[in-house]
Amino acid sequence: MTGSAETGGDRQFHAVVRDMSQRRAADEQAARHTRVLLSTIEAQRAVTAAHDPRFRLTFENSPLGLALSSVDERTFGRYLQVNPALTAITGYSAEELLRMSFHDLQHPDDVTLTENALRQMITTGPDSVRAERRYLHKDGHTVAVSIRVAVVRGGDGAPSYAVVQVEDVTAQRAADARLHRQAALLELIPAAVIVRRLDGTILWWNSGARSLYGWTSEAAHGRRVHRLLGTVFENGSAARQQAALTEDGHWDGQVQHLTAAGRMVTVLSRQVVHRDGDGDVEVLEINTDVTAARAAEQALALNEQRFRAQFTHSAVGQLIRALDGSLIAVNQAFARMLGRRVEDMVGRVIDTELLDRDELAYAHNEIAGLFAGDAASYTHETRLRHADGHWVDVEATVSLVRNAQDHPRHLIVVVTDISQRRIAERARDQAAAALAERNTALEAANQLKLDIIGMLGHEISNPLSAILGYSDLLADDLEAGSPTATAVTVISRQAQRLDEIVREVLSMVSIDAGNLSAVRGEVSLHAGIAQALESAGATGVPVTGPDVTLRFNPGHLQQVLVNLLANAARYAGGATAVRIEPAPGGRVLLHVEDHGPGVPQELRPRLFDRLTRAERDAGTVRGTGLGLGLYIVRSLARANHGEVRHEPYPAGGSIFTLEAEAVATP
């Protein structure tokens, strides 16, 4: 296979598959000569018989080089007789060759192979061997030869001499090498390369064809290309293709082929006819897979149709702007937005006729960024001039379209009328300003409220302290059970309740104002519990668990514990147990348990919120609080790096758990 040509500026490859029948005929003729020679030699059965006229005629006139070679150990391999063809092949005269052996004539790397083969033939057979060797020509170049060696034996079976037939195959090897190189080049072509006859019979195809169609060379060889590949012509037919090849010598077109996997591929096929010197006609077919490109073209066309439909019928204003600012196309929505007609807007320069001049510099800089590749698009708000002269507030998204060479081509602008949004935004801003003014007034009122509550708390605390102190003194001097003593007890109890309310309100104010802070110290938990039980009048409640030193504000701890105990007394008949439980990570858990009715399910998610009270208890529990106790408990716990939680008691009731930080023991 060989050759290339240039036609019309395009480089066309062609391939030649040579008919080897002439070479085979020459080989057969040489073999006949050899058989005649061997028959003559065998008939004479002696070297001296080689002088027979028939033998000499065949020997001297053979087109192949012939030699008789010695098999005697003393002259092993020495040439005994040579013909003119051998002298022509080697460049040595007959006299020179008769003084030489194959050791002298063959390439050094081939001598050992030849000697071993000849000795094996002499001892064990076979009687003839064919091999390829390299001869060193007299002028120094290397000659590639095909050698056939036959051993002639006497009547006793002993070897007499060897007959050597030599054919110069140097030119043939060079031609084969060129063919292999050219075939290798064709193999490297990524496209599918097929060599076939005019009738479509496949003679050869390359790795590109194997990769594209999935058939091996062996599977494709000898089959008709259109049948194997199920060729479908997009324009034309097989008959028209055949006519073009016959009349014009070439054919180009696009066809569809079926692969071994059942997939249809679209290929661009270029075919050229080659006629060699022997009159053989072959077609070189180069098929390039354009399936992806064709699909991309179809998708592009479909997208173009969709874009046109969307562009024309979109309710949003759209336009295509040339790089010089002129309008290439606008849709009906954009023209209607500005009170104009589509045909009147095409060709107008948007920058000078429609755009606010104050926006030109900004638009120029942003478009420069699109050119430079800083962004694919940008969005901004601007104003466009209406046909009646007023300005229309719009939001525009500008995108740059590039061509196949990645150069800027034109701009696509999507425009939305935001006039109503601007009106709404202005109304919103006015409302926000009014709200901000109202919030300022509310903040001032809230601060006044906090100041008044703080002042009242301070003013109420002083007389309360006096009432509590003097009521305790009176109670000590009065007879127990007397009407006066009873009245003093009621006064003391109500004063204590009022003091509790004042403290809760003041704590709430501090929490809401963000002024709650905790200076933590080290507090013995047993001592703190004992003090809280005494303050709450619940000294009979059992306390279990080891004593632990907490890192907690002492006053906050008392307020938390008293609130939890008071909450249990108010809603659950009093606390039933207080348990201390060490926890991992240097923490400690304090559980306050009761066996009351428990917290209603619907109240649990907001149990620790401010002013939370159960409707169930509002009218049935006497002396209910303000709903601030648990809110204050949680706030105080968190201020001391702790937490408070609730869970139902398994047997009925509640467990309130305070988690706090324990002081590490040395």
Side-chain angles (χ1 to χ4, degrees):
M1 200 179 322
T2 184
S4 65
E6 295 187 2
T7 304
D10 293 332
R11 186 171 182 81
Q12 304 282 344
F13 286 93
H14 65 268
V16 179
V17 179
R18 294 190 181 279
D19 190 349
M20 305 301 294
S21 58
Q22 292 182 350
R23 178 181 171 186
R24 293 194 183 94
D27 287 345
E28 292 174 359
Q29 183 180 5
R32 285 196 298 272
H33 281 294
T34 302
R35 285 195 294 271
V36 170
L37 178 61
L38 293 178
S39 298
T40 303
I41 293 172
E42 183 64 24
Q44 299 300 323
R45 295 184 177 278
V47 177
T48 56
H51 297 286
D52 180 89
R54 290 177 302 170
F55 170 80
R56 293 195 61 81
L57 183 63
T58 302
F59 189 87
E60 294 294 335
N61 294 292
S62 173
L64 304 177
L66 293 174
L68 303 183
S69 180
S70 173
V71 295
D72 188 278
E73 282 296 331
R74 293 169 297 179
T75 57
F76 188 78
R78 181 84 171 267
Y79 295 119
L80 304 176
Q81 190 171 349
V82 297
N83 72 343
L86 187 60
T87 64
I89 292 173
T90 63
Y92 292 101
S93 65
E95 291 75 15
E96 290 173 318
L97 287 173
L98 293 177
R99 294 193 297 269
M100 300 169 64
S101 70
F102 68 84
H103 298 82
D104 305 313
L105 193 57
Q106 289 189 9
H107 191 284
D109 293 342
D110 296 344
V111 169
T112 302
L113 292 174
T114 300
E115 183 167 350
N116 291 340
L118 185 55
R119 290 189 180 278
Q120 184 176 357
M121 290 173 62
I122 293 171
T123 56
T124 61
D127 287 337
S128 65
V129 170
R130 183 171 181 172
E132 292 190 359
R133 294 290 186 264
R134 291 168 292 176
Y135 278 179
L136 299 178
H137 195 273
K138 184 177 181 179
D139 64 10
H141 74 270
T142 301
V143 181
V145 295
S146 175
I147 300 175
R148 187 186 300 272
V149 181
V151 176
V152 179
R153 301 180 183 273
D156 57 357
S160 300
Y161 49 87
V163 179
V164 182
Q165 173 188 295
V166 181
E167 179 185 3
D168 185 353
V169 294
T170 304
Q172 178 186 325
R173 293 293 175 268
D176 289 345
R178 286 195 301 272
L179 289 175
H180 285 305
R181 286 194 300 270
Q182 291 168 355
L185 290 176
L186 291 177
E187 281 288 336
L188 294 176
I189 296 176
V193 179
I194 302 173
V195 179
R196 64 178 179 84
R197 295 194 178 97
L198 266 176
D199 64 1
T201 303
I202 298 171
L203 303 175
W204 179 87
W205 67 9
N206 72 341
S207 59
R210 294 194 294 273
S211 176
L212 176 60
Y213 298 120
W215 298 113
T216 63
S217 300
E218 294 77 11
H221 187 270
R223 289 179 168 82
R224 300 294 178 91
V225 65
H226 294 328
R227 294 286 294 173
L228 178 64
L229 302 180
T231 305
V232 177
F233 290 85
E234 295 194 356
N235 294 303
S237 63
R240 292 177 61 181
Q241 180 196 70
Q242 189 77 356
L245 291 173
T246 304
E247 298 171 6
D248 304 331
H250 65 86
W251 179 87
D252 295 341
Q254 194 163 277
V255 297
Q256 290 185 336
H257 282 157
L258 182 67
T259 68
R263 184 172 66 94
M264 291 299 294
V265 295
T266 303
V267 301
L268 182 63
S269 184
R270 307 192 68 183
Q271 302 179 17
V272 61
V273 174
H274 174 266
R275 293 177 172 84
D276 62 15
D278 298 328
D280 292 332
V281 179
E282 294 168 351
V283 178
L284 176 66
E285 180 176 328
I286 302 177
N287 297 333
T288 304
D289 185 3
V290 295
T291 306
R294 180 68 181 278
E297 290 176 358
Q298 293 174 343
L300 182 61
L302 180 60
N303 288 337
E304 180 70 16
Q305 293 175 0
R306 289 174 176 171
F307 171 76
R308 286 295 174 187
Q310 183 275 143
F311 182 87
T312 302
H313 303 293
S314 174
V316 177
Q318 297 185 38
L319 60 98
I320 301 176
R321 173 192 181 276
L323 299 181
D324 62 1
S326 61
L327 296 177
I328 299 173
V330 300
N331 70 349
Q332 186 63 45
F334 181 72
R336 188 168 49 250
M337 186 187 304
L338 300 183
R340 304 173 187 269
R341 296 189 307 167
V342 171
E343 53 271 23
D344 294 339
M345 300 192 69
V346 174
R348 304 187 69 170
V349 179
I350 187 172
D351 293 351
T352 58
E353 299 185 38
L354 301 178
L355 190 64
D356 187 348
R357 292 185 178 277
D358 295 338
E359 298 288 338
L360 288 177
Y362 175 83
H364 188 71
N365 290 336
E366 291 297 323
I367 292 174
L370 298 182
F371 271 54
D374 299 339
S377 64
Y378 72 91
T379 300
H380 77 298
E381 295 181 1
T382 185
R383 299 191 306 168
L384 296 176
R385 188 182 297 277
H386 194 273
D388 62 12
H390 80 271
W391 292 101
V392 179
D393 292 319
V394 299
E395 181 181 78
T397 299
V398 183
S399 304
L400 179 65
V401 177
R402 297 177 180 271
N403 60 18
Q405 291 73 39
D406 201 35
H407 295 156
R409 183 179 177 185
H410 54 251
L411 298 167
I412 294 180
V413 186
V414 178
V415 183
T416 305
D417 186 347
I418 59 172
S419 301
Q420 295 302 317
R421 193 184 81 186
R422 284 287 180 86
I423 295 173
E425 287 175 350
R426 285 192 288 270
R428 180 203 62 195
D429 294 341
Q430 292 173 357
L435 182 60
E437 184 177 345
R438 179 62 176 165
N439 284 340
T440 301
L442 289 175
E443 288 176 1
N446 186 60
Q447 185 60 46
L448 178 61
K449 176 200 71 175
L450 296 177
D451 293 341
I452 291 174
I453 291 176
M455 178 186 67
L456 289 176
H458 181 268
E459 295 300 325
I460 293 173
S461 294
N462 290 333
L464 272 179
S465 298
I467 294 172
L468 287 171
Y470 283 112
S471 62
D472 288 341
L473 291 176
L474 287 173
D476 292 339
D477 295 336
L478 296 174
E479 181 181 353
S482 67
T484 304
T486 301
V488 169
T489 301
V490 171
I491 292 171
S492 177
R493 185 169 62 250
Q494 294 302 321
Q496 289 176 353
R497 174 62 186 143
L498 183 59
D499 183 57
E500 178 182 342
I501 293 172
V502 169
R503 284 189 285 106
E504 287 186 350
V505 171
L506 292 177
S507 296
M508 180 196 69
V509 170
S510 297
I511 293 169
D512 289 348
N515 297 325
L516 181 63
S517 61
V519 179
R520 298 193 298 163
E522 297 183 1
V523 185
S524 168
L525 189 52
H526 271 196
I529 293 172
Q531 182 180 349
L533 290 173
E534 183 177 355
S535 298
T539 54
V541 177
V543 179
T544 60
D547 189 16
V548 178
T549 301
L550 294 185
R551 194 173 301 282
F552 217 97
N553 182 286
H556 290 173
L557 180 62
Q558 280 302 300
Q559 195 168 354
V560 167
L561 295 178
V562 169
N563 263 303
L564 292 178
L565 292 170
N567 194 67
R570 184 176 296 117
Y571 298 107
T576 57
V578 176
R579 292 188 296 109
I580 301 170
E581 178 185 353
R587 312 288 284 178
V588 65
L589 303 178
L590 173 65
H591 306 289
V592 177
E593 302 174 356
D594 67 67
H595 293 165
V599 178
Q601 180 69 37
E602 68 276 7
L603 188 65
R604 292 174 188 174
R606 51 191 178 88
L607 181 61
F608 293 96
D609 293 346
R610 186 173 61 173
L611 304 177
T612 296
R613 297 170 60 190
E615 295 296 331
R616 180 195 66 189
D617 301 327
T620 59
V621 178
R622 185 177 179 181
T624 55
L626 301 176
L628 296 175
L630 293 179
Y631 169 71
I632 294 171
V633 165
R634 184 184 65 178
S635 300
L636 292 175
R638 290 179 176 178
N640 287 271
H641 301 181
E643 188 55 86
V644 63
R645 296 185 292 274
H646 164 268
E647 61 180 299
Y649 193 79
S654 297
I655 301 175
F656 286 88
T657 300
L658 170 66
E659 179 186 337
E661 180 184 353
V663 177
T665 57

